[in-house]
Amino acid sequence: VAVAVDLGAPAAKVHYAAYGYDPRLFCAAGDPGARPPIFLAVGRLVEKKAPLITLRAFAKVKAHLEDASLEIAGAGPLLSECQALIRELGLQESVRLLGAVEHVAVAALMRQARVFVQHSRTAQSGDQEGTPVSLIEACASGLPVVSTRHAGIPDVIEEGATGFLVDEGDVEEMARHMLTLARNDALATQMGQAGAMKARSEFEMSKSVERLWGI
């Protein structure tokens, strides 16, 4: 919204209407703080979603947390680079590249994970995220999130309340927050519950449609 206004659009004609999620499919079930340290990323393997940075951050987590694992759902042009980096970092037994996954399967993965991770960043071409729907679905599923201060992400993730945000490219800080949520059961539970509450109040599909009709 701020960017559109800065470019000269009349403020009264600029509205923010994020995607909605299907509450029949994505809903908080169980306690993420009681789950093993399974990290989940969902998104195409492209530069703006930075899967290579997520892998490097996870490698630092793995160095301190032997039973940590990472699942990445998504296909894309960076697949071979991801596979090579996994081999280079010795993460073959800890990382699963799941490829393109059906929506129902994504919901199931979110019910098993402890933390959702997404290191979105601006690509060299200038390509950026909008408001990633996977983050909204993760919150709706009751997962704490570690992501970046990028595009519409801060509109979904409240820093310190529903998750942690880091600067683009900050591998160390991302790993630190991932470790915090892996080790602190109560915090993972608290953030997951706060995220689910925010998703229900702001991002359910019916509410998104109502906003569009209003506009």
Side-chain angles (χ1 to χ4, degrees):
V1 172
V3 173
V5 173
D6 289 343
L7 290 172
K13 294 185 178 182
V14 179
H15 304 270
Y16 174 73
Y19 306 114
Y21 74 94
D22 185 348
R24 298 167 300 179
L25 189 57
F26 295 93
C27 58
D31 179 1
R35 297 171 189 160
I38 299 172
F39 297 90
L40 174 64
V42 177
R44 291 178 299 123
L45 303 180
V46 295
E47 186 182 356
K48 72 178 178 181
K49 293 187 182 292
L52 299 175
I53 292 181
T54 297
L55 285 168
R56 292 192 181 280
F58 174 72
K60 294 182 179 295
V61 172
K62 184 70 176 177
H64 297 279
L65 204 62
E66 187 175 346
D67 61 339
S69 63
L70 171 65
E71 298 188 328
I72 300 177
L78 294 182
L79 174 60
S80 60
E81 291 184 49
C82 288
Q83 292 170 328
L85 184 58
I86 288 169
R87 290 192 296 271
E88 176 188 328
L89 296 173
L91 297 174
Q92 297 94 320
E93 302 301 317
S94 306
V95 177
R96 287 203 306 159
L97 296 175
L98 304 174
V101 173
E102 295 288 338
H103 220 185
V104 172
V106 170
L109 289 168
M110 288 185 176
R111 288 193 292 270
Q112 298 169 5
R114 182 181 179 101
V115 181
F116 188 85
V117 292
Q118 183 165 318
H119 197 102
S120 296
R121 67 182 308 183
T122 303
Q124 290 184 357
S125 66
D127 189 18
Q128 296 184 359
E129 299 275 15
T131 300
V133 69
S134 59
L135 286 180
I136 295 173
E137 292 169 346
C139 288
S141 300
L143 291 181
V145 172
V146 180
S147 190
T148 48
R149 300 180 186 98
H150 171 89
I153 291 173
D155 294 318
V156 178
I157 306 303
E158 296 181 16
E159 290 197 54
T162 66
F164 294 110
L165 299 179
V166 306
D167 291 336
E168 295 179 30
D170 195 336
V171 175
E172 296 287 344
E173 193 72 355
M174 186 176 188
R176 186 174 72 83
H177 289 314
M178 290 167 69
L179 265 174
T180 294
L181 288 169
R183 288 171 166 168
N184 191 325
D185 298 348
L187 182 62
T189 298
Q190 177 184 328
M191 285 188 163
Q193 291 175 343
M197 186 177 301
K198 180 178 175 68
R200 285 195 301 271
S201 66
E202 298 183 24
F203 298 112
E204 275 193 8
M205 186 67 73
S206 61
K207 293 182 174 63
S208 294
V209 172
E210 286 174 8
R211 278 195 297 271
L212 288 173
W213 275 116
I215 293 168

